[in-house]
Amino acid sequence: MIEPSSVIQMRGIVKRFPGVLASDHVDFELRRGEIHALLGENGAGKSTLMNILAGLYRADEGTIVVHDKPVNFSSPRQAIQAGIGMIHQHFMLVPSQSVTENILLGLDHPRFRLRLAENERRVAELGEQFGLKVDPKAKIWQLSVGEQQRVEILKMLYRGADILILDEPTAVLGPAETEQLFKTLRGMTTQGKSIIFISHKLNEVMAIADRVTVMRRGKVTAADVSTKSTSTAELARLMVGREVLFRVQKQPQTPGPVVLAIEDLTATNDRGLPALQKLNLQVHAGEIVGLAGVAGNGQRELAEVATGLRRAASGRILLNGENLTNQPVRRAIARGLAHVPEDRNRVGSSPNLSLTDNMIMKQYLQSPIGRGWQLDAGEAAAFAQRLKQSYEISAPSVETQARLLSGGNLQRLILAREITAQPKAMIAMQPTQGLDVGAVEVVHRLLLEQRQQGVAILLISEELDELLSLSDRVAVIYEGAIVGEVTDGDIEKIGQLMTGSV
Amino acid sequence: MDPIIILQAGVATGTVLLFATIGEIFAERAGVLNLGVEGMMLMGAMSAFSVANSTGNAWLGVLVGMLVAGLLSQLHAFIVIQLQADQVVSGLALTFVGTGLSLVLGEGLSKAGAGALLPRFSLPGLAAIPFLGPIFFTNQSVMVYLGYLLAPAAWYYIYHTRPGMNLRAIGEYPAAADSMGVNIYRLRYFYVFVGGMLAGLAGATISLAVSPGWFSELTTGGQGWIAVGLVIFAQWNPLRAMFGAYAFGALRRLILDIQGPALLFGASNIFKTHQSLTYFLEMLPYAFTVIILVIGSREAVRNRLGAPAALGVPYVRGERGR
């Protein structure tokens, strides 16, 4: 029954978490020497399934066969002994220790003395063999993210893993490092390793994988799909369950009067160096202004100064003519300035508070939720329940802690809160970063709805496609100032402005 | 005020600090701050003295002192590792428990006078080295010599052995160690126990060697707190701890001896004429400790000194959303 080339057979895997069926009778098969992509939106159950395979979780039902032997792992250690190594999104490396020490961590050998020189040589040889070059003596904190990832892979190879699970390995990599990783992975398959590649990025899956298994809401929607005989559009449909509109539908609209005006704004960054240098920008009612730029050119500081989170050294921020420069954040909120922060986990929400508490953060002072110095818990819960329903936030209840939400659901929560406050202007920074296709679509739709309502939106993003499809105008920031504006979607011109070559 | 005598006595008193400091280094390297050193030292000193007196065997006293302090440390371990309570609060409470318990159980011991003590001797050959010989190798307690061996051994263990590497990892980034099958909980219990045993050894060194006898809480006189400060001063490195412990030991002796001579640097000795000024001097080691602790509690300073990143943070396995 089991094909000879099959190294992993998972059958009928069920895993329940409180309130969620994370894995619903899932079958999965991996063949020797292939790169097998596990594709799905955030929260589709990919990571759960693989965490079961790697011994982190135990399945409630189902069987797993590895190398023709039935297994039942109760710890990652047992999975590694069976040859399965998982490389997580968050690296599990000790920053103050060297590459070699991290690789040796938790092993039974060397017995007592570390014999670093000898083991450093072995690590170097292993790196050579698989094209994972990294200095075995270097401390982890000295390494780039790409190098750290190589250490994680080496850690598994050193333990003799022949099946590697990579959980969204490219999320932290730049394009060059991604290309390097793909080359390495292909090289490893020729040496008999089998690889599971978890991802929600269609292009990457098409580029690297031989076969694809697609998951949605804890179920497999397509198995044994060959990348040679499918298309990005087909995979997207399998992943979200319907055709995805890659082109956003945008109604033509004439912008109204200026709502948000930033005049000669100057500010410093955390290290006290100039971040904004006499920046000027205007956003009209019913207009989305996209702000393009290479990361670190003052985008973050602009968002923070404009929302009152950082002091301006000089210049003015005007909202409908009222000066909000260096005013308390509460004043900006009262005047109708909405903020979708870059870091949704720590700035946009309070992870240990409930959905309700996170949702009422802009309403708790007003009736009916706020009653004098008291909170009306019933009203608050009802308010949260309404938002949860109308914004389709999937969570067991409004009492759930915000940190348990997936990225897409958390961003829905934040947008729900900001939009319900009926803003005049909105500053959204990287609102779709790290979200899957379905969630990106929701965020885009909500932003466009706000534009339709006449809200002035400043959209700061590093995704040029997103900026071009949503924005009425794209302004380009370079070294803390606006260096140009593009209205006709001339991507080459934006690229030149971003790199300061105009 | 013979400098040789001050340094010689400084090494002896410093040995007490050295044991306690190395013990705390082990606990903190594993990620557990134990402010109960003072209490554990008192329990160690009291039970060691008591056993040595009643059995006439000083070594048995040392062993029991270490075990008693080690057991007491497990109370802290249970509270902070198992129940994940605040380590500062639990450590302070442990000092109260240790101090109170040792005073009650040690009642009557102070009249008992010194019985069996640990041997002291000179090392033939080494004692003949000019200057260093009289300070380090002449007429010292066996515990002092043990200290010379323990500090380098602890250093080697932490930096050059596999268990030492695991120890550093569980104090820096326990999740990484856990994912590779290192048992965080068991090891943290173990190193808190090691820390407790060494605090007990420090206590036994006082009551059976350096200043024999049981003088209730004055036996340790706050040296446990100095040890906690020395850990930061030593940057969690046993070899640096050696230097700091002996320097603090010499300072304590200097403060005692400075009150003796009539003339100090050719002038009349104000510490002899005005006895109350000596209280100010006696305060100095503790003031230093407070300053080190305050400076060392700043995040930026800690990072620069190389404090274990997970120090004081309970480890909870596999929680989503960090």
Side-chain angles (χ1 to χ4, degrees):
Chain A
M1 214 180 85
I2 295 166
E3 289 176 51
S5 64
S6 161
V7 287
I8 289 176
Q9 290 266 344
M10 297 176 87
R11 291 237 176 273
I13 301 294
V14 175
K15 178 72 186 172
R16 295 179 195 92
F17 288 118
V20 190
L21 187 56
S23 186
D24 184 2
H25 296 91
V26 170
D27 295 345
F28 180 82
E29 188 229 11
L30 179 71
R31 291 181 196 154
R32 184 181 310 282
E34 76 168 339
I35 299 182
H36 193 131
L38 189 56
L39 181 70
E41 295 185 286
N42 288 330
K46 313 176 297 265
S47 295
T48 306
L49 185 68
M50 288 302 119
N51 280 332
I52 291 170
L53 187 54
L56 273 167
Y57 299 154
R58 296 189 84 154
D60 296 326
E61 290 171 34
T63 57
I64 306 174
V65 176
V66 178
H67 295 307
D68 300 341
K69 279 195 283 285
V71 293
N72 186 9
F73 303 135
S74 56
S75 77
R77 198 174 195 148
Q78 291 176 353
I80 292 168
Q81 272 160 6
I84 300 172
M86 181 156 174
I87 289 101
H88 297 269
Q89 273 185 68
H90 304 295
F91 297 146
M92 294 291 181
L93 297 169
V94 183
S96 61
Q97 295 189 350
S98 77
V99 169
T100 306
E101 285 180 313
N102 267 283
I103 289 171
L104 295 178
L105 185 62
L107 285 175
D108 295 329
H109 66 86
R111 286 192 65 82
F112 188 72
R113 275 187 54 215
L114 266 184
R115 293 179 220 281
L116 267 182
E118 185 186 315
N119 283 297
E120 275 160 2
R121 212 175 45 244
R122 291 183 59 185
V123 169
E125 280 167 16
L126 198 67
E128 202 72 43
Q129 185 191 343
F130 289 101
L132 292 156
K133 271 195 85 111
V134 58
D135 175 9
K137 285 193 179 81
K139 298 267 194 285
I140 296 300
W141 60 265
Q142 298 170 319
L143 301 181
S144 72
V145 182
E147 288 173 308
Q148 293 185 21
Q149 190 173 54
R150 276 175 240 162
V151 179
E152 284 282 23
I153 297 174
L154 276 174
K155 209 157 91 176
M156 293 307 161
L157 293 175
Y158 192 90
R159 285 160 170 73
D162 57 2
I163 298 159
L164 289 174
I165 308 167
L166 293 106
D167 191 356
E168 304 199 2
T170 60
V172 291
L173 301 181
E177 283 175 321
T178 301
E179 201 37 61
Q180 167 78 30
L181 173 71
F182 284 4
K183 216 190 283 170
T184 308
L185 294 183
R186 284 194 202 97
M188 280 162 50
T189 56
T190 63
Q191 300 190 46
K193 308 283 179 192
S194 317
I195 293 163
I196 303 172
F197 185 93
I198 306 177
S199 180
H200 59 242
K201 292 184 185 162
L202 300 169
N203 296 334
E204 283 178 359
V205 168
M206 292 296 281
I208 185 72
D210 303 309
R211 289 195 307 149
V212 186
T213 295
V214 188
M215 286 187 76
R216 185 170 80 236
R217 293 187 185 180
K219 286 185 181 147
V220 169
T221 52
D224 196 15
V225 181
S226 165
T227 47
K228 291 190 187 70
S229 60
T230 187
S231 66
T232 315
E234 168 76 6
L235 286 178
R237 194 184 55 74
L238 289 167
M239 191 166 128
V240 288
R242 66 201 129 83
E243 299 285 348
V244 180
L245 300 169
F246 277 108
R247 275 282 138 205
V248 184
Q249 303 291 319
K250 194 168 69 180
Q251 311 287 328
Q253 187 163 297
T254 331
V258 175
V259 175
L260 181 68
I262 294 160
E263 297 176 352
D264 288 333
L265 193 64
T266 305
T268 55
N269 65 13
D270 290 339
R271 283 178 292 171
L273 302 171
L276 299 176
Q277 312 196 36
K278 289 200 174 283
L279 184 138
N280 284 285
L281 191 62
Q282 291 187 334
V283 189
H284 299 255
E287 178 189 45
I288 296 181
V289 174
L291 188 69
V294 177
N297 271 288
Q299 292 98 318
R300 174 176 304 152
E301 288 80 6
L302 174 61
E304 287 175 358
V305 175
T307 50
L309 293 170
R310 178 184 291 274
R311 281 193 71 80
S314 67
R316 297 201 300 170
I317 300 137
L318 301 173
L319 185 64
N320 282 327
E322 185 179 341
N323 190 352
L324 289 178
T325 321
N326 294 336
Q327 295 295 310
V329 177
R330 187 181 282 182
R331 178 122 170 237
I333 293 172
R335 297 296 179 272
L337 183 63
H339 184 201
V340 180
E342 180 182 23
D343 185 349
R344 53 179 163 264
N345 293 309
R346 268 169 292 189
V347 183
S349 66
S350 182
N352 286 327
L353 294 186
S354 67
L355 261 62
T356 306
D357 289 342
N358 273 290
M359 282 170 174
I360 64 167
M361 276 177 183
K362 289 202 159 172
Q363 308 288 334
Y364 72 101
L365 286 172
Q366 299 156 23
S367 174
I369 293 169
R371 281 187 316 193
W373 54 277
Q374 295 182 80
L375 284 181
D376 188 325
E379 286 288 346
F383 173 79
Q385 201 63 51
R386 274 202 308 279
L387 258 54
K388 180 173 179 289
Q389 245 154 37
S390 51
Y391 288 87
E392 293 172 349
I393 299 163
S394 90
S397 87
V398 291
E399 294 309 314
T400 309
Q401 288 181 328
R403 69 191 164 88
L404 299 171
L405 292 182
S406 69
N409 278 308
L410 187 61
Q411 196 66 298
R412 277 179 215 233
L413 182 156
I414 293 166
L415 280 162
R417 176 182 70 211
E418 299 300 322
I419 291 170
T420 322
Q422 296 182 324
K424 304 277 186 295
M426 177 184 280
I427 296 172
M429 183 152 185
Q430 306 275 33
T432 59
Q433 192 180 42
L435 300 188
D436 56 60
V437 185
V440 167
E441 204 193 347
V442 171
V443 171
H444 286 176
R445 200 193 65 215
L446 289 172
L447 288 176
L448 286 171
E449 275 173 22
Q450 288 305 296
R451 168 177 174 268
Q452 216 70 29
Q453 303 281 324
V455 178
I457 299 174
L458 177 61
L459 172 66
I460 306 172
S461 175
E462 279 158 33
E463 300 268 337
L464 277 186
D465 287 344
E466 174 173 276
L467 286 175
L468 288 171
S469 58
L470 291 178
S471 312
D472 298 283
R473 294 184 285 141
V474 175
V476 182
I477 189 170
Y478 178 72
E479 294 192 343
I482 302 296
V483 289
E485 211 175 276
V486 175
T487 45
D488 56 359
D490 183 347
I491 200 157
E492 262 177 46
K493 176 129 186 265
I494 295 176
Q496 286 169 353
L497 289 167
M498 277 169 63
T499 49
S501 49
V502 175
Chain B
M1 273 250 302
D2 180 355
I4 299 280
I5 289 180
I6 290 175
L7 290 173
Q8 188 189 20
V11 169
T13 26
T15 299
V16 174
L17 292 171
L18 182 64
F19 290 150
T21 305
I22 291 176
E24 182 66 8
I25 286 175
F26 275 114
E28 292 195 16
R29 279 277 181 190
V32 181
L33 178 71
N34 188 351
L35 293 181
V37 181
E38 177 80 3
M40 297 188 297
M41 279 174 71
L42 278 169
M43 280 303 282
M46 184 278 296
S47 33
F49 183 70
S50 172
V51 168
N53 249 11
S54 54
T55 63
N57 186 338
W59 288 109
L60 193 63
V62 171
L63 189 69
V64 172
M66 289 174 77
L67 283 177
V68 166
L71 279 178
L72 185 62
S73 77
Q74 294 304 285
L75 182 64
H76 178 66
F78 176 74
I79 291 170
V80 302
I81 300 169
Q82 212 74 27
L83 307 180
Q84 294 162 6
D86 188 290
Q87 300 188 354
V88 173
V89 175
S90 169
L92 287 175
L94 193 71
T95 283
F96 296 140
V97 170
T99 308
L101 210 56
S102 65
L103 294 189
V104 172
L105 297 175
E107 167 126 66
L109 273 185
S110 32
K111 296 184 202 81
L117 295 181
L118 291 166
R120 48 174 59 235
F121 49 86
S122 302
L123 285 188
L126 289 172
I129 302 171
F131 190 66
L132 296 180
I135 295 172
F136 290 102
F137 305 113
T138 305
N139 196 26
Q140 292 284 24
S141 164
V142 61
M143 285 299 172
V144 173
Y145 301 119
L146 181 66
Y148 299 158
L149 299 178
L150 180 71
W155 173 82
Y156 187 83
Y157 179 85
I158 290 174
Y159 291 102
H160 292 281
T161 71
R162 187 176 58 88
M165 180 183 77
N166 288 355
L167 163 64
R168 279 179 289 138
I170 61 172
E172 283 290 336
Y173 191 11
D178 191 25
S179 74
M180 289 292 105
V182 178
N183 191 329
I184 311 293
Y185 300 104
R186 198 165 64 198
L187 283 181
R188 285 193 167 175
Y189 268 104
F190 174 72
Y191 285 112
V192 171
F193 186 68
V194 170
M197 295 234 295
L198 286 173
L201 180 66
T205 303
I206 300 177
S207 64
L208 296 180
V210 175
S211 44
W214 173 248
F215 312 100
S216 36
E217 73 268 31
L218 293 177
T219 313
T220 54
Q223 291 187 76
W225 295 106
I226 295 181
V228 171
L230 276 177
V231 172
I232 298 171
F233 179 82
Q235 301 185 340
W236 295 267
N237 179 336
L239 287 185
R240 281 176 198 264
M242 216 171 177
F243 174 76
Y246 295 151
F248 263 77
L251 182 66
R252 278 170 68 94
R253 179 61 190 228
L254 175 70
I255 289 163
L256 279 180
D257 283 10
I258 208 167
Q259 299 159 32
L263 287 179
L264 200 61
F265 304 118
S268 107
N269 185 354
I270 52 166
F271 297 111
K272 192 175 171 71
T273 50
H274 297 80
Q275 286 288 323
S276 59
L277 271 180
T278 60
Y279 293 127
F280 178 79
L281 284 182
E282 282 167 15
M283 179 196 76
L284 285 179
Y286 304 97
F288 272 130
T289 303
V290 170
I291 292 168
I292 291 174
L293 286 174
V294 168
I295 295 174
S297 65
R298 289 190 47 202
E299 189 74 29
V301 178
R302 297 185 79 83
N303 290 342
R304 201 165 337 127
L305 293 181
L311 179 59
V313 186
Y315 181 65
V316 189
R317 193 180 210 166
E319 265 210 275
R320 205 167 149 186
R322 285 183 297 169

